[in-house]
Amino acid sequence: MIKSELVQAIANRNPHLYQRDVETIVNAIFDEVTEALCDSNRVELRGFGAFSVKNRPPRSGRNPRTGEAVSVEEKWVPFFKAGKELRERLNRK
């Protein structure tokens, strides 16, 4: 599912809302999550999961084409851990 499909699904479930308003709400949520992660804060959505950032230290890697050693710089990456309710719903049969 892409963002436009998410907006459409929410708009279909809530016919009293305009699609442009739903799109504004979805964008605002994503912006807030992004800002919190940029500030190194953890974002927890109960029942869904938690977003956080993890540090990947610098390391030496290899160019897969040439086999040449290259240095990979330190970076921060987003990390998602699924919540208990989400895991249970995924594993129901």
Side-chain angles (χ1 to χ4, degrees):
M1 177 179 280
I2 60 175
K3 186 163 67 168
S4 61
E5 293 172 339
L6 175 64
V7 169
Q8 186 64 49
I10 294 171
N12 290 343
R13 283 183 154 185
N14 298 281
H16 60 282
L17 295 174
Y18 292 113
Q19 185 168 342
R20 69 178 181 269
D21 293 338
V22 173
E23 186 173 0
T24 302
I25 293 167
V26 169
N27 286 333
I29 292 169
F30 288 161
D31 289 344
E32 288 300 316
V33 170
T34 302
E35 285 298 316
L37 293 175
C38 286
D39 293 339
S40 296
N41 292 327
R42 184 172 185 262
V43 177
E44 182 176 334
L45 305 172
R46 297 278 172 159
F48 183 71
F51 296 91
S52 60
V53 290
K54 289 193 173 194
N55 183 284
R56 296 244 173 110
R59 61 184 174 85
S60 64
R62 296 232 173 255
N63 180 332
R65 188 172 288 172
T66 64
E68 176 185 349
V70 294
S71 63
V72 178
E73 296 180 4
E74 172 187 50
K75 59 186 164 185
W76 292 90
V77 294
F79 179 76
F80 176 75
K81 182 176 180 185
K84 181 180 177 183
E85 185 178 323
L86 176 61
R87 284 193 313 270
E88 288 173 354
R89 286 182 71 178
L90 289 174
N91 290 309
R92 264 189 227 150
K93 299 208 177 196

